[in-house]
Amino acid sequence: MGLLQKACETYDTFQYLAGVEYQDKVTLAPLGYITTRADIEITLDQDGHFLSARAVEKTEPKIVIPVTEDSAGRTSAACAHPLCDQLAYLAPCVEKKHTLYVEQLADWAASPYTHPQLQPVLTYIQGETILDDLVRAGVITLDEKGYPKNEKALVRWVILGLDAADSGPCWTNRGLMESFSQYYASRKEGWTQNLCMISGDWDVLAKQHIKGIIPANGNAKLISANDSSGFTYRGRFDESWQAATVGYTASQKAHNALRWLADNQGVTMGGRTFLCWNPQGKPVPAPTNAMTRPDRRNQPSAKNPTEYQKQLRETLSGWQTDLPENAGVVIAAFDAATTGRLALTYYNELLASDFLQRLYDWDASCCWVNGIFGIQSPALYWLVTCAFGNYRENKWVVDDRILKQQVQRLVSCRVDRAIFPVDIERLLVQRASNLQLLPREERQRLLFLTCAAIRKYHFDTTKEEYGMSLDKNETDRSYLFGRLLAIAEAVEWSTYDDKDKESRQPNAIRLQSIFVQQPMHTWVVLEERLRPYYQKLPSRLRAYYKNQVDEIMDNFSLHDENLNRKLEDTYVLGYHNQRAYRKPKEEANEPTAEVTAEEQ
């Protein structure tokens, strides 16, 4: 029940925004209301005469409409909304639906809790001219039976000619909202109350719960029980409500708060929606991206680890100022295997201090140089996409089922301090060992992601922290072979003209996958193929390259019988660092030895 309790707590915090249109945010629905998208807007005068109609643009914001407990969770069974509803209920096409709508609206309009906007709508609907009016206005078309082709189009109302406080749209009228709340509460008077497991108060129990709280999952419900035939409640209960005694008020608060959060700050990947929030309304960083702050997005990129660590500490300090240590942070993920059932696939609650520290620790170890963007921590989306996806038709494509599962897996690693998944690291290394399959502009992204994953995995497993710049004293065999591969690429690349750079692949790239499997044998082949390219270079540049190769070879143990064994993942670090290497000042009199990743 932790999720629903935190959602109720969030609703209580923001209750003052219920029914209020706020900036470009989706409106928080009041109790007894849901958030939805209208398709048609009809304007009436105070006597219920038709004035105009128009189709509502998809870009217009969603609205809140009053609903009953049954209509909020309706599926195939007929059940009318009190005011704004589909054409199937407003027009006399389906008699049962139309009758239910008219009777319910008439009951509300005749109650002590009526509102001036109700009677014009009731009068107009009873006139049964809605279809003709909409056809003349060019808003709908009818089929051969005279029924609207889109019976599910939802209509909202605008009433003109009333007092200033009552004229205008029905979905923003605070008096109308209060009117419905009082009317619906009066209908529940005398109903049996029970203990609500969410609030701990006695309340009328919810018989139905709101559907569609996560937009990406359609009408799926978070709480539902309808196996009244067959395995009736699995033999554990006599009635469905006994499985979870949730009060009507708590159900409305929790579901409306979750819908509001999902609409305004949910991150959806592969059909799974990730939420991260503070119930008291404090801003929190998203666990799916690097820990940044809106007020520091334009800061210069970090060019070295010292700058990066300083910026990261400043970011952490800023979040700690906004979020008190004892504040809570809720992380949740939702998905639906079917159109009717919504699952909570991940849930965690943390103190803000612990949550921020965990994000900081991840970003401090899972990071690398990303070309002109400086040192960054990669977004989880790109780690998964480049590890499991395929690059075709100038874009990365990954199966939605894999994307959502693996992103959640990385979210769990980041939030729960688990070890970086070795399979993801190895898949990225495998991809980075076949660079010829990618255009040049995508190679830098892949190398950045792979190096960050390697650095993170080794830090988690051995606490070894690899440097993000070239280490000429490194004697790791794989790292050294990675450097050799980068130099072989640079030698050949330096001789290409602009046309060649567009159409040719250096031998180092074409033989890369074989080089990883048999590095020493492949290096002999590469050296042989590099001879004509060495001859094309200026003498000083040729000498510089050969000196670099000799220095690297001196670090090998040539008597090592395993020199030709398959390379470890660290070769990618040596390759990337050698490609990005720029000469220090003491080498300024030497020719440029490498073609940097940015230049390629």
Side-chain angles (χ1 to χ4, degrees):
M1 292 296 181
L3 170 69
L4 299 183
Q5 288 172 336
K6 292 300 179 182
C8 285
E9 189 178 332
T10 303
Y11 191 94
D12 290 337
T13 300
F14 290 98
Q15 192 164 8
Y16 69 96
L17 288 177
V20 179
E21 292 185 343
Y22 180 70
Q23 296 178 355
D24 57 346
K25 303 291 186 180
V26 174
T27 305
L28 175 63
L31 302 188
Y33 276 67
I34 62 169
T35 305
T36 189
R37 189 175 298 282
D39 302 296
I40 299 171
E41 179 181 293
I42 296 179
T43 302
L44 306 175
D45 66 15
Q46 71 275 17
D47 297 320
H49 297 139
F50 177 84
L51 297 179
S52 64
R54 69 179 184 90
V56 178
E57 299 293 335
K58 296 297 183 182
T59 55
E60 296 186 44
K62 296 178 181 178
I63 64 171
V64 292
I65 66 170
V67 292
T68 65
E69 187 176 358
D70 291 329
S71 72
R74 73 186 184 190
T75 52
S76 57
C79 186
H81 292 324
L83 184 60
C84 300
D85 212 332
Q86 299 172 353
L87 283 176
Y89 287 87
L90 304 183
C93 300
V94 182
E95 184 178 353
K96 181 179 180 181
K97 292 182 176 181
H98 183 64
T99 301
L100 286 173
Y101 176 83
V102 172
E103 289 179 349
Q104 184 169 243
L105 181 57
D107 185 65
W108 181 10
S111 73
Y113 312 103
T114 187
H115 187 272
Q117 286 192 340
L118 300 180
Q119 190 58 48
V121 176
L122 179 60
T123 301
Y124 177 66
I125 290 299
Q126 289 175 331
E128 299 186 354
T129 63
I130 185 170
L131 294 183
D132 293 336
D133 293 335
L134 292 178
V135 170
R136 282 195 297 270
V139 176
I140 66 169
T141 56
L142 305 180
D143 59 20
E144 60 277 4
K145 295 182 179 180
Y147 296 165
K149 290 185 177 180
N150 182 12
E151 292 185 345
K152 292 186 177 181
L154 190 135
V155 176
R156 67 187 190 186
W157 306 98
V158 177
I159 312 299
L160 302 180
L162 299 172
D163 293 340
D166 297 324
S167 288
C170 67
W171 60 94
T172 60
N173 193 301
R174 302 290 295 179
L176 183 65
M177 294 177 191
E178 184 63 26
S179 166
F180 180 73
S181 296
Q182 294 174 349
Y183 165 71
Y184 199 57
S186 69
R187 293 183 58 185
K188 289 181 173 290
E189 290 179 359
W191 289 18
T192 302
Q193 295 188 344
N194 212 320
L195 180 65
C196 173
M197 292 183 177
I198 306 300
S199 65
D201 300 327
W202 288 83
D203 192 9
V204 174
L205 297 185
K207 298 182 297 181
Q208 289 264 9
H209 299 275
I210 298 174
K211 65 180 181 180
I213 63 171
I214 304 298
N217 299 121
N219 291 327
K221 287 185 177 182
L222 188 60
I223 304 177
S224 177
N226 66 352
D227 63 337
S228 54
S229 61
F231 295 103
T232 305
Y233 314 120
R234 297 293 178 182
R236 300 171 183 169
F237 311 103
D238 292 327
E239 301 292 340
S240 60
W241 61 267
Q242 294 173 338
T245 54
V246 179
Y248 172 78
T249 302
S251 175
Q252 289 285 313
K253 286 183 177 181
H255 286 83
N256 283 340
L258 289 174
R259 176 63 186 261
W260 183 64
L261 290 167
D263 272 325
N264 290 314
Q265 62 188 66
V267 177
T268 300
M269 299 186 196
R272 185 163 295 177
T273 299
F274 298 86
L275 289 179
C276 181
W277 81 95
N278 166 254
Q280 284 70 47
K282 302 292 185 181
V284 295
T288 53
N289 293 313
M291 188 170 64
T292 58
R293 287 180 56 79
D295 57 346
R296 299 184 62 84
R297 286 176 180 169
N298 295 325
Q299 67 181 352
S301 58
K303 300 301 183 183
N304 56 63
T306 302
E307 289 182 10
Y308 178 71
Q309 290 294 336
K310 179 182 177 182
Q311 291 181 2
L312 198 57
R313 285 194 297 270
E314 290 174 349
T315 300
L316 175 63
S317 177
W319 283 115
Q320 288 173 335
T321 301
D322 293 340
L323 276 170
E325 287 188 10
N326 59 351
V329 175
V330 181
I331 309 100
F334 301 87
D335 199 2
T338 68
T339 57
R341 299 291 179 272
L342 183 67
L344 179 65
T345 59
Y346 178 83
Y347 184 77
N348 201 349
E349 295 178 24
L350 293 171
L351 288 175
S353 56
D354 198 11
F355 173 72
L356 294 175
Q357 187 63 48
R358 294 182 185 195
L359 296 193
Y360 172 86
D361 291 343
W362 173 282
D363 287 4
S365 54
C366 185
C367 58
W368 202 259
V369 182
N370 187 16
I372 61 174
F373 302 104
I375 299 175
Q376 294 180 328
S377 181
L380 305 189
Y381 170 85
W382 282 111
L383 286 170
V384 172
T385 298
C386 290
F388 294 92
N390 293 299
Y391 189 82
R392 54 175 181 262
E393 297 181 357
N394 299 320
K395 63 180 180 180
W396 287 95
V397 180
V398 62
D399 186 273
D400 283 347
R401 293 169 296 180
I402 294 175
L403 176 63
K404 62 187 179 183
Q405 291 169 356
Q406 298 303 325
V407 168
Q408 179 172 312
R409 190 176 171 205
L410 289 179
V411 167
S412 178
C413 285
R414 192 177 187 195
V415 174
D416 301 329
R417 282 184 169 153
I419 294 175
F420 190 92
V422 63
D423 58 312
I424 295 180
E425 189 250 14
R426 288 176 178 173
L427 281 170
L428 286 168
V429 172
Q430 182 179 339
R431 286 288 169 83
S433 300
N434 288 277
L435 293 178
Q436 65 174 331
L437 302 179
L438 295 173
R440 292 202 312 274
E441 58 271 15
E442 286 296 325
R443 293 174 187 172
Q444 172 59 29
R445 187 209 303 270
L446 180 58
L447 288 171
F448 156 64
L449 295 168
T450 304
C451 291
I454 294 171
R455 189 172 191 266
K456 175 62 177 172
Y457 174 72
H458 282 274
F459 181 83
D460 287 349
T461 54
T462 66
K463 298 303 177 184
E464 184 174 5
E465 190 170 342
Y466 283 100
M468 289 176 276
S469 58
L470 182 63
D471 183 359
K472 291 191 174 184
N473 297 319
E474 177 62 63
T475 58
D476 176 72
R477 180 187 68 95
S478 297
Y479 189 93
L480 294 173
F481 270 118
R483 291 185 60 191
L484 287 176
L485 185 67
I487 291 176
E489 179 186 3
V491 168
E492 190 169 342
W493 190 266
S494 298
T495 66
Y496 285 178
D497 57 24
D498 292 340
K499 183 178 180 180
D500 287 338
K501 290 179 180 179
E502 293 294 329
S503 59
R504 294 181 61 180
Q505 297 277 16
N507 283 292
I509 296 299
R510 289 192 283 116
L511 296 178
Q512 184 187 12
S513 59
I514 303 175
F515 183 84
V516 174
Q517 301 297 323
Q518 297 181 318
M520 197 63 203
H521 288 171
T522 310
W523 174 247
V524 173
V525 175
L526 275 175
E527 275 198 309
E528 181 68 26
R529 295 188 182 184
L530 285 176
R531 288 181 181 178
Y533 297 102
Y534 273 123
Q535 298 304 316
K536 295 181 182 180
L537 297 175
S539 58
R540 291 182 63 199
L541 184 57
R542 180 169 61 250
Y544 190 87
Y545 278 129
K546 289 188 175 182
N547 286 338
Q548 290 286 296
V549 171
D550 291 342
E551 289 178 6
I552 295 172
M553 296 302 292
D554 287 343
N555 286 323
F556 279 114
S557 175
L558 298 180
H559 300 291
D560 186 351
E561 296 179 356
N562 295 320
L563 202 59
N564 197 50
R565 70 183 185 275
K566 182 180 177 180
L567 296 179
E568 302 294 332
D569 53 6
T570 52
Y571 100 89
V572 182
L573 304 183
Y575 172 73
H576 182 276
N577 287 347
Q578 186 70 46
R579 288 176 85 239
Y581 176 66
R582 293 183 181 276
K583 299 187 303 297
K585 292 182 179 179
E586 58 268 22
E587 298 181 34
N589 61 333
E590 299 290 348
T592 301
E594 280 77 34
V595 179
T596 67
E598 292 89 346
E599 291 167 346
Q600 290 191 37

